[in-house]
Amino acid sequence: MGKITLFYKYVQISDPQAVMLWQRSLCEKLELKGRILIGFEGINGTVGGSERSIRCYVREMKGYPAFKNIDFKFSLGPTESFPKLKVKVKNEIVNLGIDPTLLTPEQGGKHLSPTQTHELIASKPEDLIILDTRNDFEVAIGKFEGAIDPKIATFRDFPKYIEDHLELFRDKQVLMYCTGGIRCERATAVLKVKNVAKEVYQIKGGIHRYAENYPNGFFRGKNYVFDARIATKINDDILGSCYICDQSYDDYTNCLNAKCNRHYIACPQCIQKLGNTCSPTCQQLVLTGQTNIRPERVTVRHSNLL
Ligand SMILES: [Zn+2]
Ligand SMILES: [Zn+2]
């Protein structure tokens, strides 16, 4: 068993290129894999490896002044949770599609601890709206009870969703959440600068920290993650349904037809019936050798989101 850490920090980085080179050599030395994005606005990463490597990595990070207060989140996972190491310099460390100098986390909503979040939801204020800021395929298998699913395919669609639904948030308390908290830092700012909501909140540490504290709380189902685990089970509720037969199910797979590679929920019976493809068409292409078969069973979704 290995360990995975998820972290981010919005902090001014004057030389992202130098930090990128340092991060790359550090991860290579420790044989860590995963994805780290660095920009003038900060750092966003998720890496996995042996327990010892993760411990060394965190120690090195804490020795760097800009990163010493990073809130590292940990979970157990296979040692090979990521196929590759990717360390890149990006304009935005989360791809919202808005110039990072024009919309910053300082403009974002108030941070609530897991306990404050739990108490707020439990008190059931009439004007409370819970808004999931994640993509549709993440929301499909787990979300907070009563949360609104904006049904976006990518985080870049989030600003338009807010723009199109401003009246929904007028004079409301809006609580936003995402996987580890990073997306909400600027997603809450998108709404807050519109000056329609009464209050805008974000969960400190996202679903990850909330579920650590309240595994049987208001978050139901699975937390989607961007590594080989695909999702971590928080409790027994199953929110998803099979893409083929619609029965209640929440494990993702990828279509065996490499050209299709659709990421979809499929129950064991449908996987067997269609030979792990998403449709009779894909199955036919695979059976007749008219297409390549994807190499590994499940493809990890690469994302700039976590
Ligand atoms: Zn099915
Ligand atoms: Zn397919």
mmCIF file of all heavy atoms in Angstrom, residues 255 257 260 262 278-279 282, ligand 2:
data_model
loop_
_atom_site.group_PDB
_atom_site.id
_atom_site.type_symbol
_atom_site.label_atom_id
_atom_site.label_comp_id
_atom_site.label_asym_id
_atom_site.label_seq_id
_atom_site.Cartn_x
_atom_site.Cartn_y
_atom_site.Cartn_z
ATOM 1 N N CYS A 255 -14.450 2.639 -21.965
ATOM 2 C CA CYS A 255 -14.748 1.768 -23.101
ATOM 3 C C CYS A 255 -13.457 1.142 -23.632
ATOM 4 O O CYS A 255 -12.442 1.818 -23.782
ATOM 5 C CB CYS A 255 -15.445 2.566 -24.205
ATOM 6 S SG CYS A 255 -15.893 1.562 -25.632
ATOM 7 N N ASN A 257 -12.775 0.129 -26.508
ATOM 8 C CA ASN A 257 -12.402 0.691 -27.805
ATOM 9 C C ASN A 257 -11.557 1.944 -27.554
ATOM 10 O O ASN A 257 -12.068 2.967 -27.098
ATOM 11 C CB ASN A 257 -13.685 1.034 -28.583
ATOM 12 C CG ASN A 257 -13.399 1.797 -29.871
ATOM 13 O OD1 ASN A 257 -12.236 1.991 -30.258
ATOM 14 N ND2 ASN A 257 -14.467 2.239 -30.524
ATOM 15 N N CYS A 260 -12.752 5.282 -28.696
ATOM 16 C CA CYS A 260 -13.910 5.818 -27.980
ATOM 17 C C CYS A 260 -13.481 6.241 -26.571
ATOM 18 O O CYS A 260 -13.580 7.406 -26.209
ATOM 19 C CB CYS A 260 -15.019 4.774 -27.919
ATOM 20 S SG CYS A 260 -16.375 5.206 -26.817
ATOM 21 N N ARG A 262 -14.732 6.092 -23.796
ATOM 22 C CA ARG A 262 -15.749 6.753 -22.975
ATOM 23 C C ARG A 262 -15.596 6.362 -21.497
ATOM 24 O O ARG A 262 -15.384 5.203 -21.174
ATOM 25 C CB ARG A 262 -17.156 6.368 -23.450
ATOM 26 C CG ARG A 262 -18.281 7.029 -22.654
ATOM 27 C CD ARG A 262 -19.610 6.399 -22.968
ATOM 28 N NE ARG A 262 -20.038 6.665 -24.331
ATOM 29 C CZ ARG A 262 -20.681 7.778 -24.708
ATOM 30 N NH1 ARG A 262 -20.973 8.704 -23.832
ATOM 31 N NH2 ARG A 262 -21.032 7.950 -25.956
ATOM 32 N N CYS A 278 -18.880 0.449 -24.514
ATOM 33 C CA CYS A 278 -20.010 1.269 -24.091
ATOM 34 C C CYS A 278 -21.237 1.096 -24.976
ATOM 35 O O CYS A 278 -22.298 1.624 -24.686
ATOM 36 C CB CYS A 278 -19.594 2.735 -24.037
ATOM 37 S SG CYS A 278 -19.408 3.489 -25.654
ATOM 38 N N SER A 279 -21.090 0.368 -26.084
ATOM 39 C CA SER A 279 -22.224 0.229 -27.007
ATOM 40 C C SER A 279 -21.994 -0.972 -27.921
ATOM 41 O O SER A 279 -20.853 -1.418 -28.097
ATOM 42 C CB SER A 279 -22.327 1.479 -27.878
ATOM 43 O OG SER A 279 -21.169 1.574 -28.691
ATOM 44 N N CYS A 282 -19.285 -0.122 -30.476
ATOM 45 C CA CYS A 282 -17.896 -0.255 -30.004
ATOM 46 C C CYS A 282 -17.525 -1.726 -29.842
ATOM 47 O O CYS A 282 -16.409 -2.135 -30.167
ATOM 48 C CB CYS A 282 -17.697 0.500 -28.688
ATOM 49 S SG CYS A 282 -17.540 2.278 -28.918
HETATM 50 ZN ZN ZN B 2 -17.324 3.146 -26.692
#
